C-alpha cells in the first residue's frame, strides 16, 4: 500500500455530511436483499452527491452487494469521489473477535468484497460487547493499518453513549491520540436524545473526538407509521413491548397534523444534529442558500431500502440545509410527541455489559484462504468463515 494514502487531513475536512448506511442491505430488513434495487439505490445516491457509504461484514451480504453496485455503475465512479466506511470485530449476534489478527483479516476481506485497495474509515463494531482492553488493542491495529496506507481513519461504534464516552477517554489516555470518529445510533432521534446532552458532548470534546456521526434516525424502525412489529426486523428488535407501543402511538400524533411519523422523525434528527453535532461535524459542505449554517455541520447516516425512501430522505436533507427558519417540526415534537412518550422518552435498552457472553472462545483464528495470505497472516486452524 502507498503510505501517502494515510490520513493527512482532519476527518472534519473530508467527511461528507450525509452518508448512505447499508445495514438495510440485509435479511433483517429485507426477505432477500439480493432482490433489493441496491444498484439503483447506490447509483441514485451518487447522482445526489451522497458521496459516502457505511457498511459492515456483520450486515449479512451488505458489503458484497455494495461492492457489486459500485462495480456495476456506469460510468464507474472515481474511487476518490466517494468515502467508503466499514466495520470490524463483530462476527455474529453473540460472537466477537477484536484480536489484531482478526481485525487485519476482516479489513482485507472487506477490501476484496468492496472492490477497492483502501478504506476511508473503519469502525470497531459495537464496542460495548467486549472489554476496554480488547477495544484498545483493536484500535491500535487499525492505526497500524492506517500507517500502512490500508485505511485512513479509525473509529468506534456502539449503542450505549456512556460506553462510547468512556472508551474515547480511555483511548486518548492510553495512546495520547484521540479517536477519529464515533458512530452512535438510536441516541439522537425523537425517542432518545441522550447524545445531544451538553455533559455528554463536553466529555467527547475533552477526549478529542474528531467527528460524531448520528445513525438510525428511526431507531431501527421503531419510529415508523406501521410500527416495528410490521417490519422484518421486528422479531429481533431489542425494544420492549411498552416502548414499541409508545413509539407507534406517535404515528397518530403526526397524522393529526397531516404528517407522517417517518418524515417528522427524519426531519427532526437531520435538522437538529446539524446544529447540536456541529462541534463534531464536517466542514466538507457549503450552502449558497443558507448562510445561517454553522461552519461545521453534524453528519448523519441514513438507511433506506428503496428508491422512494432515498428520494424522501434526500428531499428532507435539502429542505433542512436550505431552510432559513424552523417549520414547526420542533414544536410538534416537543409539545406533543415527547409528552406522549412520557417515561419512554430517552429510554435506552441494555446492550452488552456484564450479562453478555461472547460465544467465540478462541481469538485470532482466521480462515486459511487467499485473504489471509494477502494480508500476511499465517494459516490458523481451519474455521468456517462463511458466516462472518
Amino acid at each position: 500500500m502507498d503510505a501517502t494514502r494515510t490520513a493527512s487531513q482532519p476527518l472534519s475536512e473530508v467527511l461528507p455530511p450525509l452518508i448512505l448506511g447499508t445495514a438495510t442491505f440485509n435479511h433483517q430488513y429485507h426477505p432477500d436483499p439480493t432482490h433489493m434495487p441496491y444498484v439503483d439505490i447506490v447509483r441514485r445516491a451518487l447522482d445526489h452527491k451522497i458521496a459516502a457509504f457505511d457498511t459492515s461484514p456483520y450486515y449479512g451480504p451488505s458489503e458484497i452487494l455494495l461492492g457489486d453496485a459500485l462495480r456495476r455503475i456506469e460510468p464507474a465512479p472515481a474511487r476518490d469521489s466517494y468515502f467508503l466506511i466499514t466495520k470490524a470485530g463483530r462476527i455474529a449476534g453473540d460472537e466477537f473477535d477484536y484480536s489484531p489478527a482478526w481485525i487485519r483479516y476482516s479489513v482485507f476481506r472487506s477490501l476484496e468484497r468492496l472492490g477497492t485497495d483502501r478504506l476511508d474509515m473503519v469502525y470497531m463494531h459495537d464496542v460495548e460487547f467486549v472489554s476496554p482492553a480488547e477495544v484498545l488493542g483493536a484500535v491500535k491495529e487499525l492505526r497500524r493499518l492506517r500507517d500502512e496506507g490500508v485505511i485512513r481513519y479509525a473509529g468506534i461504534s456502539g449503542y450505549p453513549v456512556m460506553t462510547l464516552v468512556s472508551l474515547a477517554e480511555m483511548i486518548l489516555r492510553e495512546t495520547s491520540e484521540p479517536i477519529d470518529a464515533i458512530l452512535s445510533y438510536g441516541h439522537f432521534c425523537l425517542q432518545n436524545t441522550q447524545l445531544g446532552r451538553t455533559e455528554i458532548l463536553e466529555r467527547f470534546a475533552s477526549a478529542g473526538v474528531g467527528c460524531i456521526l448520528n445513525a438510525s434516525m428511526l431507531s431501527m424502525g421503531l419510529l415508523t407509521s406501521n410500527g416495528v412489529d410490521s417490519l422484518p426486523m421486528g422479531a429481533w428488535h431489542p425494544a420492549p413491548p411498552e416502548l414499541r407501543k409508545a413509539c407507534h402511538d406517535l404515528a397518530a400524533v403526526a397524522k393529526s397534523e397531516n404528517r407522517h411519523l417517518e418524515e417528522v422523525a427524519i426531519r427532526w434528527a437531520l435538522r437538529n444534529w446539524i446544529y447540536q453535532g456541529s462541534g463534531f461535524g464536517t466542514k466538507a459542505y457549503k450552502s449558497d442558500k443558507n448562510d445561517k449554517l454553522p461552519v461545521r455541520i453534524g453528519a448523519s447516516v441514513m438507511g433506506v431500502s428503496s428508491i422512494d425512501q432515498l428520494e424522501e430522505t434526500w428531499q428532507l436533507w435539502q429542505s433542512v440545509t436550505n431552510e432559513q427558519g424552523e417549520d414547526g417540526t420542533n414544536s410538534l415534537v416537543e409539545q406533543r410527541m415527547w409528552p406522549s412518550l412520557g417515561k419512554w422518552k430517552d429510554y435506552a435498552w441494555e446492550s452488552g455489559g456484564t450479562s453478555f457472553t461472547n460465544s467465540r472462545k478462541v481469538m485470532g483464528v482466521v480462515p486459511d484462504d487467499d485473504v489471509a495470505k494477502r494480508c500476511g497472516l499465517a494459516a490458523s486452524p481451519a474455521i468456517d468463515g462463511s458466516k462472518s
Side-chain angles (χ1 to χ4, degrees), residues 40-347:
D40 293 333
I41 289 172
V42 173
R43 180 187 295 111
R44 192 63 179 149
L46 290 169
D47 288 344
H48 285 313
K49 302 298 188 292
I50 300 171
F53 303 94
D54 178 292
T55 184
S56 172
Y58 173 60
Y59 301 153
S62 175
E63 281 190 325
I64 295 169
L65 297 181
L66 176 58
D68 183 54
L70 291 168
R71 290 182 186 97
R72 289 169 60 183
I73 292 172
E74 295 181 358
R79 177 60 187 87
D80 291 338
S81 68
Y82 58 88
F83 198 91
L84 201 51
I85 307 167
T86 193
K87 306 176 184 72
R90 184 162 198 173
I91 297 170
D94 63 350
E95 187 177 0
F96 293 78
D97 190 339
Y98 272 46
S99 67
W102 183 262
I103 298 311
R104 179 170 289 266
Y105 176 84
S106 181
V107 167
F108 273 79
R109 185 184 56 185
S110 295
L111 293 173
E112 181 177 275
R113 290 175 171 179
L114 293 164
T116 185
D117 64 351
R118 81 252 190 212
L119 295 164
D120 294 297
M121 186 154 64
V122 177
Y123 297 112
M124 292 314 306
H125 201 166
D126 291 342
V127 289
E128 68 266 29
F129 289 93
V130 301
S131 69
E134 289 172 288
V135 174
L136 183 62
V139 168
K140 288 180 178 179
E141 182 63 20
L142 289 182
R143 289 174 174 171
R144 280 189 283 270
L145 290 165
R146 175 198 63 189
D147 294 342
E148 295 169 18
V150 180
I151 71 174
R152 296 175 65 195
Y153 303 95
I156 59 174
S157 74
Y159 182 71
V161 170
M162 292 309 300
T163 299
L164 295 172
V165 169
S166 63
L167 288 173
E169 293 170 337
M170 180 270 293
I171 290 166
L172 177 62
R173 183 173 62 250
E174 296 295 328
T175 70
S176 300
E177 180 183 350
I179 196 73
D180 292 316
I182 300 284
L183 176 66
S184 171
Y185 72 94
H187 274 77
F188 195 81
C189 62
L190 289 189
Q191 179 267 324
N192 184 345
T193 62
Q194 292 187 47
L195 182 62
R197 291 179 177 173
T198 301
E199 62 272 22
I200 297 293
L201 296 178
E202 286 177 348
R203 287 183 63 181
F204 277 129
S206 296
V209 174
C211 294
I212 300 176
L213 295 88
N214 181 45
S216 199
M217 293 177 279
L218 298 180
S219 195
M220 298 190 297
L222 271 182
L223 299 168
T224 52
S225 297
N226 293 326
V228 70
D229 292 320
S230 68
L231 302 173
M233 82 286 289
W236 61 262
H237 199 293
E242 297 85 355
L243 176 57
R244 294 175 183 228
K245 182 182 184 304
C247 289
H248 187 215
D249 289 346
L250 298 178
V253 178
K255 187 175 181 180
S256 71
E257 299 287 340
N258 296 314
R259 298 177 70 174
H260 295 288
L261 176 56
E262 292 89 338
E263 176 266 323
V264 174
I266 294 171
R267 183 185 294 277
W268 182 91
L270 284 174
R271 184 182 191 279
N272 286 283
W273 189 245
I274 281 174
Y275 296 94
Q276 286 187 251
S278 62
F280 306 90
T282 173
K283 298 178 183 178
Y285 180 80
K286 296 290 186 292
S287 174
D288 297 328
K289 298 180 180 180
N290 187 354
D291 58 6
K292 296 181 180 179
L293 288 177
V295 173
R296 294 174 66 173
I297 65 174
S300 296
V301 182
M302 65 172 189
V304 303
S305 55
S306 70
I307 293 293
D308 287 345
Q309 291 175 4
L310 173 65
E311 294 296 338
E312 179 181 9
T313 305
W314 172 247
Q315 292 301 322
L316 290 171
W317 173 255
Q318 290 288 93
S319 174
V320 300
T321 53
N322 291 333
E323 67 185 14
Q324 298 296 313
E326 213 279 306
D327 66 347
T329 297
N330 281 7
S331 297
L332 173 60
V333 170
E334 294 169 11
Q335 296 175 17
R336 298 194 60 193
M337 290 189 169
W338 286 350
S340 177
L341 284 170
K343 68 177 183 179
W344 296 105
K345 165 73 163 52
D346 288 343
Y347 173 88

